[in-house]
């Protein structure tokens, strides 16, 4: 897998080869943010990340026997929950070899290896036939892909017409450029998603700004921050001082960078 201007696959793979184990050990096996419903101050980080997965599952509305593609699968936690929710067959792809190894081992442990499998592939050039999937999601993965139109065109190509696509991702406020903070993150504006999806062959069903719900409640934030601080040096080595600083700044909400929002999207392949 070579990195081209359209694909930063090798750099992303190197980041996640290291980061995934750390994040799983310190925080959670879900490599995405949490969702706290209004008034919920008590759910743990782990409960909140599972809650976000459940919202994505609902958006995808999977059915028994469907073939579903998880584009940017991390270490497989969302894929397992998805497969359990609907007795569907799930293929997860990531560019990280270590993520594949861990996700595959976990599928075995959970007795899901028959229905959930993981492959190393680049979302920019999916190794699957046209119309070979019934649904797909990009769960906090599009953020890393510099050519988002190409990623969405590829998703559209492998989906049969009428299929659902769900997206969970960050977006940036117009004045904010997150690439200044991390070179492997390219957040777009909220109003860019619609035209991008339409242009790639999807009809937008729903776009929801859920930013207030991803803010970590104070009690959870305090314990999470303490836990992360204990392993600060290791984290800095993996993610870089700027990222760690931005995430742990006592002035801002842990795991939240000012100027970034969070969106959930449902779309349908035309
Ligand atoms: N969806 C998972 C992981 C999110 S982290 C979860 O919610 O737990 C982002 C994921 O996107 C990582 O697995 C990373 O390897 C993957 N990714 C980023 N760019 C990619 C690309 N070009 N092709 C395939 N996967 C990619």
């Amino acid at each position: 897998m070579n990195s081209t201007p359209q694909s930063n696959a090798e750099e992303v793979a190197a980041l996640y080869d290291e980061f995934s184990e750390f994040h799983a050990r310190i925080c959670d096996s879900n490599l995405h943010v949490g969702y706290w419903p209004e008034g919920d101050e008590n759910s743990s980080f782990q409960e909140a990340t599972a809650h976000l997965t459940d919202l994505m599952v609902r958006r995808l509305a999977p059915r028994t026997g469907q073939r579903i593609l998880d584009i940017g699968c991390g270490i497989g936690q969302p894929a397992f929950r998805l497969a359990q929710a609907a007795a569907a067959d799930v293929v997860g792809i990531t560019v990280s070899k270590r993520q594949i190894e861990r996700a595959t081992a976990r599928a075995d442990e959970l007795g899901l290896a028959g229905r959930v499998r993981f492959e190393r592939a680049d979302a920019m050039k999916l190794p699957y036939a046209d119309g070979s999937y019934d649904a797909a999601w990009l769960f906090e993965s599009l953020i890393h892909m510099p050519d988002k139109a190409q990623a969405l065109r590829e998703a559209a190509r492998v989906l049969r017409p009428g299929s659902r696509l769900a997206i969970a991702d960050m977006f940036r406020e117009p004045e904010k450029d997150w690439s200044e903070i991390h070179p492997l993150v390219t957040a777009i504006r909220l109003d860019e998603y619609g035209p991008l999806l339409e242009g790639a062959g999807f009809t937008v069903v729903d776009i929801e700004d859920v930013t207030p719900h991803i803010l970590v409640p104070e009690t959870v934030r305090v314990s999470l921050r303490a836990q992360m601080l204990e392993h600060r040096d290791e984290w800095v080595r993996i993610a870089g001082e700027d990222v760690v600083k931005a995430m742990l700044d006592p002035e801002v909400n842990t795991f939240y960078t000012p100027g970034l929002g969070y969106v959930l999207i449902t779309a349908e392949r035309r």
Side-chain angles (χ1 to χ4, degrees):
M1 261 178 326
N2 290 320
S3 295
T4 65
Q6 283 75 40
S7 172
N8 53 7
E10 298 210 333
E11 293 86 346
V12 171
L15 171 71
Y16 278 104
D17 274 349
E18 290 254 17
F19 176 76
S20 311
E21 294 292 326
F22 175 75
H23 191 83
R25 188 156 39 85
I26 308 303
C27 292
D28 188 23
S29 300
N30 286 297
L31 305 181
H32 59 246
V33 300
Y35 183 103
W36 285 266
E38 209 177 330
D40 175 10
E41 298 285 311
N42 300 318
S43 291
S44 66
F45 188 71
Q46 292 78 4
E47 285 165 340
T49 56
H51 191 105
L52 185 63
T53 302
D54 290 343
L55 294 179
M56 285 288 279
V57 170
R58 213 174 299 162
R59 280 175 182 270
L60 217 51
R63 291 197 303 275
T64 303
Q66 280 189 325
R67 259 173 70 78
I68 303 179
L69 185 61
D70 178 353
I71 305 171
C73 61
I75 53 176
Q77 195 69 12
F80 300 137
R81 206 162 170 96
L82 172 61
Q84 281 160 334
D89 288 333
V90 181
V91 174
I93 65 151
T94 165
V95 289
S96 158
K97 190 166 162 277
R98 293 261 289 275
Q99 287 188 331
I100 296 290
E101 287 164 3
R102 189 179 167 121
T104 303
R106 193 86 183 98
D108 277 333
E109 281 167 26
L110 292 169
L112 284 171
R115 286 202 290 117
V116 187
R117 62 191 170 81
F118 300 95
E119 293 175 350
R120 192 154 177 245
D122 188 347
M124 298 300 133
K125 201 171 184 299
L126 294 172
Y128 306 115
D130 297 1
S132 52
Y133 284 91
D134 304 304
W137 70 24
L138 286 145
F139 201 158
E140 226 176 276
S141 57
L142 201 55
I143 187 93
H144 294 301
M145 302 173 195
D147 191 345
K148 300 189 198 309
Q150 172 63 13
L152 293 174
R153 276 195 300 269
E154 273 296 88
R157 182 183 65 73
V158 302
L159 287 171
R160 60 165 181 74
S163 307
R164 281 262 160 128
L165 175 79
I167 296 176
D169 227 322
M170 284 95 177
F171 65 86
R172 66 175 179 89
E173 298 300 340
E175 69 282 1
K176 182 81 183 177
D177 177 8
W178 220 54
S179 62
E180 292 162 9
I181 295 175
H182 200 285
L184 297 178
V185 165
T186 44
I188 58 174
R189 294 190 317 272
L190 185 56
D191 63 2
E192 291 180 90
Y193 278 101
L196 260 178
L197 280 158
E198 297 285 340
F202 292 96
T203 300
V204 174
V205 177
D206 180 63
I207 295 192
E208 188 184 357
D209 178 352
V210 296
T211 310
H213 296 285
I214 69 148
L215 300 179
V216 184
E218 183 62 15
T219 45
V220 182
R221 194 170 82 83
V222 168
S223 63
L224 203 56
R225 201 164 167 273
Q227 223 168 315
M228 306 293 280
L229 276 173
E230 223 177 279
H231 302 269
R232 193 181 197 285
D233 292 348
E234 194 184 350
W235 198 21
V236 167
R237 191 179 54 75
I238 295 167
E241 180 73 36
D242 288 351
V243 170
V244 174
K245 248 196 206 145
M247 281 187 162
L248 291 182
D249 184 344
E251 299 298 313
V252 304
N253 192 286
T254 307
F255 282 127
Y256 175 72
T257 304
L260 271 196
Y262 206 86
V263 66
L264 299 181
I265 301 175
T266 308
E268 201 172 281
R269 163 83 159 89
R270 285 198 295 273

